[in-house]
Amino acid sequence: MLVDSPPEQRAETAPAPPSKRRVLRAAGLPVSVAVLVLIVLASIAVGAKDLSLAEVWHGLFHDSGTYGDVVVGERLSRTVLGLLAGAALGLAGAVLQALTRNPLADPGLLGINAGASAAVVTGITFFGVTSLTGYVWFAFAGAAGVGALVWFLGGSRGATPVRLVLAGTAISAALFGYLQAVMIMDDAALGRMRFWTVGSLASATTGTIKEVLPFFVVGTVLALALARPLNAMEMGDDTAKALGANLNRTRALSMLAATVLCGAATAACGPIVFVGLMIPHIVRSFTGPDMRWILPYAAILSPVLLLGADVLGRVVARPSELQVGIVTAVLGGPVFIFLVRRRRTAQL
């Protein structure tokens, strides 16, 4: 015999009305921007070297000497790069989660990080690349090459989410084996790669930002433009076709956007994990499945996570610092386990 729930219990468990969700989503954007501004200020003001707020202000606007070198030359550059890379990873993760219909997908799922890392190892070992500028272009070329290969192996025009994931997983495994083999055989490559493969904002320079900025801009515009087609695809292929969506074009452009964004971020900072997985997944929990809201929120909140982890790494290991890739991995592991367990519980 079924017993109806009391009215007060039904009220607690009922989902929020659509109008209330729209109000919350709209109100959350300025709050998110305010949090991002606070994190940016903290990233400029806090570092391994102790500086007072007055010294930070003086170095930022008046001093070209020691304070200016620390604040403008180091902290401001890594803060700007953290903003760009965080937004890129968040957008790439959101696009890939929609493309693969897997809310736990991230840019590493399609082998993009592995492609960038393998290309940098190749550049160091066989072409003698030693500068960060060289790393950027090899990493981006590797990410783009793997993105194209995954698209081809996944069936190109006949690509499906499952085929793309399988192709990406297979290529990632092969490239990981190649990466380990080269680094083991070449001690010099191992020494030069050790810092880059951890993932860091510490080597940020104005030159690096200028080189990757066009890719961030192009990838961001393309990802935001795909919001409506991705919304249609999440309803299933048949429904998307009925709504007029071009599935092949949307998948190809989604792969391109994710490759450009993740490739540029990985090229400039090294492979940084979990940012592209955690933030879009968390954002989806309060925005719903609408990509028109998920993408802007991911672009705003992902830099909050990345810069916050960078600030934390500078504080906890003074006078040295923990690289941001280590901090995001330490924070992301437990969060990922929690998300997986919650997803399994919801499916039971």
Side-chain angles (χ1 to χ4, degrees):
M1 178 178 174
L2 297 177
V3 180
D4 194 14
S5 302
E8 61 272 13
Q9 183 176 342
R10 290 199 304 270
E12 293 175 357
T13 57
S19 58
K20 183 177 181 181
R21 168 170 279 183
R22 285 195 294 268
V23 171
L24 291 175
R25 289 185 303 197
L29 277 177
V31 173
S32 300
V33 172
V35 173
L36 178 59
V37 170
L38 292 176
I39 292 294
V40 166
L41 295 176
S43 180
I44 296 173
V46 178
K49 182 179 179 62
D50 285 322
L51 293 177
S52 67
L53 292 179
E55 291 170 337
V56 171
W57 179 267
H58 192 72
L60 192 60
F61 294 103
H62 304 289
D63 190 5
S64 59
T66 303
Y67 296 154
D69 291 341
V70 172
V71 176
V72 178
E74 298 177 14
R75 295 184 188 175
L76 187 59
S77 294
R78 73 191 292 170
T79 299
V80 172
L81 184 59
L83 279 170
L84 295 174
L89 292 172
L91 287 171
V95 168
L96 290 177
Q97 287 177 12
L99 176 65
T100 61
R101 296 174 194 157
N102 180 357
L104 297 179
D106 76 331
L109 186 67
L110 298 185
I112 297 173
N113 285 345
S117 300
V120 171
V121 169
T122 301
I124 290 173
T125 305
F126 300 106
F127 296 95
V129 178
T130 58
S131 67
L132 183 61
T133 301
Y135 293 170
V136 166
W137 291 105
F138 269 91
F140 187 79
V146 167
L149 184 59
V150 167
W151 176 248
F152 175 75
L153 294 179
S156 57
R157 290 185 176 275
T160 63
V162 174
R163 287 181 180 179
L164 292 174
V165 170
L166 290 176
T169 302
I171 292 173
S172 294
L175 290 178
F176 181 77
Y178 166 78
L179 185 103
Q180 296 301 312
V182 172
M183 292 177 66
I184 289 173
M185 291 187 296
D186 189 340
D187 292 338
L190 176 61
R192 289 193 292 267
M193 280 294 297
R194 185 172 52 191
F195 182 80
W196 186 84
T197 53
V198 169
S200 173
L201 299 175
S203 298
T205 64
T206 303
T208 302
I209 294 171
K210 288 180 179 178
E211 288 183 3
V212 297
L213 181 60
F215 300 107
F216 285 129
V217 173
V218 171
T220 299
V221 171
L222 183 56
L224 294 176
L226 289 169
R228 289 183 180 276
L230 287 173
N231 276 345
M233 284 185 59
E234 286 204 343
M235 299 179 186
D237 289 357
D238 293 337
T239 303
K241 289 179 181 178
L243 293 173
N246 188 319
L247 299 183
N248 292 328
R249 183 177 62 190
T250 301
R251 286 173 181 147
L253 292 177
S254 297
M255 281 290 300
L256 178 61
T259 299
V260 170
L261 289 168
C262 187
T266 304
C269 310
I272 297 176
V273 297
F274 287 118
V275 175
L277 184 153
M278 284 193 295
I279 297 301
H281 186 83
I282 293 171
V283 165
R284 187 183 297 267
S285 67
F286 63 85
T287 63
D290 192 340
M291 296 296 291
R292 293 173 298 176
W293 288 98
I294 292 174
L295 291 172
Y297 267 106
I300 294 170
L301 293 179
S302 294
V304 171
L305 173 61
L306 188 61
L307 289 175
D310 188 46
V311 171
L312 182 62
R314 284 183 256 170
V315 171
V316 298
R318 281 180 174 174
S320 184
E321 66 176 74
L322 287 176
Q323 306 308 319
V324 67
I326 297 174
V327 180
T328 57
V330 171
L331 296 176
V335 173
F336 179 70
I337 293 172
F338 169 75
L339 293 176
V340 171
R341 289 182 60 86
R342 189 179 70 171
R343 181 169 170 78
R344 284 190 59 190
T345 302
Q347 291 175 342
L348 294 177

